[in-house]
Amino acid sequence: MLRESITAVVLGLALSWIALRFLPGRLPPSRVVFVTGGLGGLFGAYLTHSTLGSGHFLAVPTGAVLVGAVTLSLLIRPRGSGPVRSAAAQ
């Protein structure tokens, strides 16, 4: 279980690095992206392991990558927009 967790975090961080490399202007600060990717990968591994049980060595990292990618996709801003300000701040 520990190896699955470490693998999931590493895969989430790798996804974060790829996202920052290809979408530099459309993501929040890199610290937020790396934390989100790592935690998304860890949650994906936990969810997949809880659903399928032990013994699925390829399914758990796949679930980690998929959930990590989904959580990172929630951070992407529309093209050409700056930081979003709340209505109360305007």
Side-chain angles (χ1 to χ4, degrees):
M1 185 71 183
L2 182 63
R3 186 173 20 171
E4 289 177 352
S5 300
I6 292 172
T7 302
V9 170
V10 168
L11 288 172
L13 292 175
L15 277 174
S16 300
W17 181 79
I18 291 169
L20 283 170
R21 186 103 166 111
F22 287 106
L23 301 168
R26 297 179 63 191
L27 290 170
S30 61
R31 180 181 293 173
V32 174
V33 175
F34 282 121
V35 169
T36 303
L39 290 177
L42 191 61
F43 179 68
Y46 169 73
L47 186 67
T48 307
H49 183 81
S50 297
T51 304
L52 299 177
S54 60
H56 297 277
F57 299 113
L58 293 177
V60 173
T62 303
V65 167
L66 292 175
V67 173
V70 168
T71 56
L72 285 173
S73 73
L74 296 174
L75 296 178
I76 298 175
R77 292 185 215 137
R79 190 177 305 256
S81 68
V84 178
R85 296 179 53 113
S86 68
Q90 293 178 356

